[in-house]
Amino acid sequence: MKQHFYAILACLLLISVHQKIHAQQIDSMMAVYAERFPTEKMHIQFDKNLYNKEETIWYKIYILSGTELSQLSKNVYVEWYDTSGKMIKQTVAPLYQATAKGSFDIPANYSGNFIHVKAFTRWMLNDDPAFLFDRELAINTSTLPAKTPAKPIVYKTRVETFPESGFLIQGLTSRVAFKATNQFGNPVFIKGVLTDNKNLVLDSLRVKHDGMGSFILTPEPSESYQLKWTDENGKTGVTDIPVTKKEGAKLAIRTTNDKALVQIQRTTNAPDNFKHMNLLVHMNQNLLYKVSLNSSEKEVLNAQIPIDNLPTGIVQFSLFTSDWVPVAERIIFVNNHMHEFNAKLTPALVNLDKRGKNVFEIYVTDTAVTNMSIAVTDASVSTPYNYSIFSDMLLSSEIKGKIYNPAYYLTSDADSVTANLDLVMLTNGWRRFDWEKIEAGQLPTLKYPRETDLMQVSGKVFGMNSVSSRGPLLLNVIIAGKDSSKHFAFIPVEKDGSFKQPGLYFYDTAKVYYSFNGNDKLTDITQVQFDNGLLKQTLKTIQYGNTDHASPLSDSLAKAKMDYLLNEQELLKKNMASATLQEVVVKARSKSKEEILDERYASGLFSGGDAQTFDLTDNPASYGSLDIISYLQGRVAGLIITGSGGNMTMSWRGATPDLFVNESPSDMNMVQSISVSDIAMVKVFRPPFFGSIGGGSGGAIAIYTKKGNDATKGNPNSKGLENTVLGGYSRFKEFFNPNYEKATDTYEQDMRSTLYWNPYVITNKRSPRYKVEFYNNDITKKFLVVLEGVNSDGKMTRTVKLIE
């Protein structure tokens, strides 16, 4: 008898130990996923959502990981595709504070009605492709009617059902959501009834929002159920509702402002492993709560989970048996507004007259550093915004499947909007975890490593086996950009021939000249291969599948205004083509002395830009200055210089400006040692300055010393060095903001539909205000202003204002 008792006790102990091992393994694996395999999500603000051909698409990229600015990647890739799925262009840009700016020129001969945009980091390619940034932008290409009428689209309605916790179980009452869509994933309105196999009507279908609704069903043994429906086009259909389980447990959740009210119910005949269950509550791959449930005596259990202190986003509830078999899942959306910071946009001067001056002020009450972008467009050419920084970061990037008009669900706290958002939670899949792999301790297979550095100059020397070197081998490298910029480096070569030099980056393409330090003969017996360390850019074609490409141009008023602008654009081109050469010469503007100096001394990112230029080639005001910093004091608005001599410090908008001498990084001691009489030009770049490795949040001061007129001096190829061509970051153009302060006699019409675009509006505790100035075009009578951005804490903002 005792032996039998001990055998049972040993068996129970083994079961208990086994369950604890399972629990610990799942906990530890979730922690490993959160730490080693975090995910990134992306939003892109475009200056508008409807374009004419030949226009420029301006955009700003934001990347988060969880609820914080992503530190996982330093580079971002954007691919542009035409209507056939053929890639038009692929670009790569460095990330500054998890953001990047860019532009894309729509080809003059483009005939498609949309352009498809895909964007990602290298790290994001390890994730499911459903979570990559994917967007279509509407393009208005012509006002001419089609020669042949377009073939009418035959819409096909599909109705799907979604039991609340994943499955319908006999004898358990469950909420079942339904969603009616066409073949393009767009919502369809339906009406109909729920019936059983005897054709008895159990309930009627009530569409709550965008083709979605729900009903209550208690499946009975030997019964089957169907939805019989009629869509908005009069077509009828039948959708079967599968009852997949005879026994098990279901999970139901409703929410209040501060709690998630969870109800778990099991069938009477459920197996023993349902008598004790486990509930995991997790968010952003992090475990929030683990609840042990004793259902041995009760078939229905209730629990309250606090959610009032959770960040905004999707929370997943996963129910397991005692031996950690997943049996039910449910997701909810928590919105405590912890994802927002407040940015006030106040019009200080509004002038809707032709070329009138307008002034706005942006004021951020939050003390954290903010990084925002703002677009001011002609409101009459804008179609409704179906996406926002909130919906991209918090909703679309977390859920598989198409969400129609996702921005709507984060525009209000109204009960109706909250209820509709819960229907989205019920009708879309969200599966970041494969529980079988986690239980087995299986980690994801990573094909793409994180890009934790900017581009680099790297490569390999082939033929090293025939080289005998007593000391370390150095590769002398000169990178000469198209803009005449030059970078010099001495790169050590490893024994296997590999070499790598981070921190050397450039835009467009550059010629790389190289030689071996102290051994020029090595170039004859070796071959050097260079690489920029970025993801290889290859042209490709994608398949679109079922997408309603015609829908973006459904706004007839916006299209009519775009047609007008397109016609004026074509007329302007004809007028310019007919202008005589003499007229062009008469209206040409001579270059200022500062512009001539800039062309002579500045290159790359130092050329042009948002900077204040000081000409010191013949400037008596500079003669009495002790050094160039003393000369700048009081001459640059916003630049604060304190102290003197070696204790001198600078601050601009709360950060320290970077110093450059002849476009090479420098420091205060070196700058103060340069005689003012030896300086030809100083450029003071307003923050941020992208010529700095760290992004230049405090701006930059670039000092150029005087040089002779020897144009051939410093030509890297004068010594006959070996060279090759290497690609760098994509070069984007800057937005042109005309200044009509003074009268102009130009004959050109101003028909811009984007009146102002600034991808970097930076504020901080010391400088919480930012002034925006722009001029109206010749025809716009109302402005649409869209401001979006993030702060250093990962919070977001979005402000939309209509001014008329």
Side-chain angles (χ1 to χ4, degrees):
M1 185 70 179
K2 287 185 177 180
Q3 291 179 345
H4 182 65
F5 171 77
Y6 287 133
I8 294 175
L9 181 60
C11 182
L12 292 175
L13 288 173
L14 284 174
I15 292 174
S16 177
V17 171
H18 179 67
Q19 291 175 355
K20 288 182 179 179
I21 291 174
H22 270 283
Q24 291 173 355
Q25 184 167 345
I26 288 180
D27 286 357
S28 61
M29 284 298 295
M30 289 183 69
V32 168
Y33 269 66
E35 180 180 354
R36 295 173 55 184
F37 307 102
T39 58
E40 289 182 313
K41 46 193 177 182
M42 182 184 301
H43 167 68
I44 300 182
Q45 180 186 0
F46 299 96
D47 62 309
K48 53 188 177 182
N49 50 18
L50 179 59
Y51 297 86
N52 274 328
K53 65 178 182 179
E54 293 189 70
E55 283 194 309
T56 298
I57 299 173
W58 308 97
Y59 61 91
K60 170 76 171 291
I61 298 174
Y62 298 90
I63 301 178
L64 296 182
S65 180
T67 59
E68 300 177 346
L69 298 182
S70 177
Q71 303 297 323
L72 304 174
S73 301
K74 293 296 184 184
N75 304 302
V76 62
Y77 304 84
V78 181
E79 297 174 344
W80 305 81
Y81 295 87
D82 65 13
T83 52
S84 67
K86 182 180 179 181
M87 184 187 291
I88 305 172
K89 188 177 183 181
Q90 186 181 37
T91 63
V92 57
L95 287 165
Y96 160 72
Q97 292 181 353
T99 67
K101 66 174 182 177
S103 64
F104 174 79
D105 292 327
I106 303 171
N109 59 348
Y110 194 74
S111 58
N113 67 337
F114 71 92
I115 280 181
H116 193 92
V117 185
K118 292 180 72 71
F120 50 87
T121 64
R122 191 194 294 244
W123 180 250
M124 290 173 69
L125 293 176
N126 293 306
D127 207 346
D128 190 310
F131 297 113
L132 300 182
F133 183 89
D134 208 306
R135 191 77 23 101
E136 283 187 359
L137 300 176
I139 308 297
N140 184 51
T141 55
S142 176
T143 58
L144 297 176
K147 294 182 180 179
T148 57
K151 186 177 180 180
I153 299 176
V154 178
Y155 290 99
K156 301 176 182 178
T157 298
R158 178 187 181 188
V159 179
E160 300 173 275
T161 58
F162 305 86
E164 181 171 10
S165 58
F167 306 97
L168 277 176
I169 304 169
Q170 290 181 7
L172 298 185
T173 301
S174 296
R175 181 185 179 194
V176 181
F178 66 86
K179 180 167 66 173
T181 57
N182 60 25
Q183 69 267 37
F184 304 118
N186 295 332
V188 176
F189 179 82
I190 63 170
K191 58 183 179 180
V193 293
L194 167 67
T195 64
D196 61 10
N197 56 354
K198 301 181 185 64
N199 207 29
L200 179 66
V201 175
L202 305 177
D203 200 353
S204 59
L205 298 186
R206 296 178 179 85
V207 172
K208 289 287 189 179
H209 179 73
D210 279 350
M212 297 179 293
S214 66
F215 55 88
I216 302 298
L217 178 61
T218 306
E220 299 295 339
S222 303
E223 290 282 353
S224 59
Y225 304 90
Q226 306 85 30
L227 293 181
K228 296 182 179 180
W229 49 266
T230 302
D231 69 13
E232 58 196 35
N233 298 313
K235 295 182 180 180
T236 60
V238 177
T239 299
D240 292 326
I241 305 173
V243 182
T244 56
K245 294 180 180 293
K246 294 182 179 180
E247 57 187 24
K250 63 111 178 181
L251 177 66
I253 301 176
R254 66 183 181 89
T255 60
T256 65
N257 289 335
D258 58 350
K259 294 182 180 67
L261 306 178
V262 181
Q263 185 181 82
I264 297 162
Q265 183 179 6
R266 66 168 178 83
T267 55
T268 304
N269 58 345
D272 288 342
N273 59 347
F274 283 83
K275 302 297 176 61
H276 290 84
M277 290 183 282
N278 300 286
L279 180 66
L280 298 185
V281 184
H282 46 102
M283 183 181 195
N284 293 322
Q285 296 182 293
N286 293 297
L287 182 63
L288 303 176
Y289 305 106
K290 182 171 65 175
V291 184
S292 296
L293 304 165
N294 184 355
S295 55
S296 59
E297 301 295 332
K298 294 183 179 181
E299 294 179 4
V300 179
L301 297 175
N302 294 291
Q304 295 184 1
I305 306 297
I307 59 174
D308 52 331
N309 290 320
L310 296 182
T312 303
I314 292 176
V315 181
Q316 184 167 4
F317 293 73
S318 302
L319 182 65
F320 297 83
T321 59
S322 59
D323 51 353
W324 291 95
V325 176
V327 293
E329 286 192 322
R330 168 77 150 97
I331 59 174
I332 65 171
F333 194 91
V334 174
N335 188 358
N336 295 320
H337 295 279
M338 293 184 179
H339 62 290
E340 298 174 88
F341 71 89
N342 187 25
K344 296 181 180 179
L345 194 151
T346 305
L349 174 64
V350 175
N351 189 340
L352 296 172
D353 294 339
K354 177 180 179 180
R355 306 192 180 188
K357 182 178 181 180
N358 294 270
V359 179
F360 296 164
E361 182 182 78
I362 299 168
Y363 175 62
V364 179
T365 56
D366 199 295
T367 59
V369 176
T370 70
N371 184 338
M372 301 175 288
S373 46
I374 183 173
V376 182
T377 57
D378 186 325
S380 61
V381 301
S382 177
T383 58
Y385 279 82
N386 294 331
Y387 306 92
S388 70
I389 190 170
F390 298 141
S391 66
D392 275 346
M393 294 298 195
L394 301 172
L395 197 56
S396 302
S397 60
E398 302 288 356
I399 288 183
K400 292 184 180 180
K402 180 177 180 178
I403 306 174
Y404 185 78
N405 189 14
Y408 154 78
Y409 298 101
L410 291 165
T411 57
S412 170
D413 285 334
D415 291 343
S416 59
V417 176
T418 302
N420 294 336
L421 177 55
D422 196 52
L423 285 173
V424 175
M425 299 294 100
L426 289 166
T427 56
N428 285 270
W430 191 89
R431 297 294 181 269
R432 285 288 191 184
F433 288 117
D434 186 327
W435 296 114
E436 291 183 0
K437 291 183 178 179
I438 286 182
E439 185 180 3
Q442 183 177 343
L443 298 177
T445 301
L446 297 180
K447 183 179 178 182
Y448 301 94
R450 303 179 189 180
E451 284 188 325
T452 55
D453 291 316
L454 299 174
M455 69 167 286
Q456 59 191 19
V457 175
S458 60
K460 190 166 186 178
V461 180
F462 295 92
M464 289 284 291
N465 294 335
S466 59
V467 177
S468 58
S469 178
R470 296 179 181 177
L473 190 61
L474 285 178
L475 194 64
N476 304 332
V477 175
I478 304 174
I479 302 173
K482 285 184 176 181
D483 51 11
S484 302
S485 62
K486 297 179 184 65
H487 301 276
F488 303 86
F490 303 97
I491 308 176
V493 180
E494 304 296 331
K495 292 183 179 180
D496 63 354
S498 63
F499 59 89
K500 181 172 67 175
Q501 179 65 50
L504 293 178
Y505 67 96
F506 54 89
Y507 290 78
D508 205 342
T509 59
K511 270 203 169 184
V512 180
Y513 300 89
Y514 62 92
S515 65
F516 290 94
N517 196 343
N519 196 341
D520 293 337
K521 295 181 179 179
L522 285 179
T523 55
D524 298 328
I525 59 176
T526 60
Q527 182 179 359
V528 183
Q529 185 179 75
F530 285 90
D531 189 82
N532 60 15
L534 299 172
L535 192 64
K536 299 300 181 184
Q537 301 184 9
T538 56
L539 296 178
K540 54 189 174 183
T541 301
I542 60 174
Q543 299 294 326
Y544 289 127
N546 289 331
T547 305
D548 188 1
H549 303 299
S551 59
L553 289 172
S554 59
D555 190 323
S556 58
L557 292 178
K559 187 179 187 309
K561 185 64 174 289
M562 293 298 285
D563 288 341
Y564 170 72
L565 293 174
L566 186 59
N567 287 333
E568 291 296 319
Q569 175 182 306
E570 295 297 324
L571 181 62
L572 180 60
K573 287 169 59 179
K574 292 179 181 179
N575 290 339
M576 293 181 66
S578 63
T580 64
L581 179 62
Q582 182 179 4
E583 289 175 328
V584 174
V585 171
V586 168
K587 298 181 184 297
R589 181 179 64 88
S590 59
K591 295 179 181 178
S592 67
K593 191 174 182 181
E594 287 78 11
E595 289 175 321
I596 295 174
L597 275 174
D598 192 75
E599 290 181 358
R600 174 168 170 74
Y601 284 93
S603 62
L605 290 177
F606 293 85
S607 179
D610 186 13
Q612 185 175 354
T613 302
F614 296 90
D615 175 14
L616 274 72
T617 54
D618 186 18
N619 187 345
S622 67
Y623 297 161
S625 300
L626 295 176
D627 53 54
I628 192 61
I629 303 300
S630 300
Y631 170 77
L632 294 175
Q633 193 162 15
R635 287 181 167 86
V636 179
L639 179 64
I640 301 173
I641 301 174
T642 58
S644 60
N647 297 321
M648 186 177 289
T649 60
M650 296 184 298
S651 176
W652 204 354
R653 295 181 184 171
T656 302
D658 293 316
L659 296 173
F660 295 87
V661 174
N662 296 329
E663 300 182 357
S664 296
S666 187
D667 55 31
M668 182 66 76
N669 290 333
M670 180 182 293
V671 167
Q672 288 180 319
S673 67
I674 302 174
S675 173
V676 177
S677 61
D678 292 332
I679 297 175
M681 178 180 70
V682 178
K683 296 190 70 175
V684 183
F685 292 90
R686 298 173 182 86
F689 176 60
F690 297 102
S692 300
I693 294 178
S697 59
I701 298 175
I703 299 165
Y704 295 86
T705 57
K706 295 177 181 177
K707 59 183 181 180
N709 296 321
D710 187 1
T712 61
K713 187 176 182 180
N715 184 351
N717 207 26
S718 61
K719 297 180 181 180
L721 301 178
E722 292 289 330
N723 66 85
T724 185
V725 176
L726 187 63
Y729 288 123
S730 304
R731 180 173 292 281
F732 304 110
K733 67 182 186 182
E734 297 292 329
F735 181 80
F736 173 66
N737 190 24
N739 187 341
Y740 294 135
E741 191 71 38
K742 296 181 180 179
T744 176
D745 58 352
T746 177
Y747 66 88
E748 294 183 15
Q749 284 184 291
D750 186 346
M751 308 299 289
R752 296 169 297 131
S753 57
T754 297
L755 304 164
Y756 182 79
W757 167 253
N758 187 345
Y760 279 100
V761 175
I762 309 295
T763 68
N764 56 34
K765 182 178 180 179
R766 293 186 179 181
S767 302
R769 302 179 188 275
Y770 193 99
K771 187 167 72 172
V772 170
E773 295 184 0
F774 68 93
Y775 292 84
N776 192 15
N777 58 22
D778 292 347
I779 58 171
T780 293
K781 295 304 178 184
K782 55 181 178 179
F783 303 141
L784 180 67
V785 187
V786 180
L787 174 72
E788 290 188 325
V790 296
N791 69 11
S792 56
D793 296 328
K795 293 184 178 182
M796 298 169 278
T797 192
R798 176 176 169 85
T799 299
V800 180
K801 189 178 289 290
L802 181 64
I803 299 175
E804 55 184 337

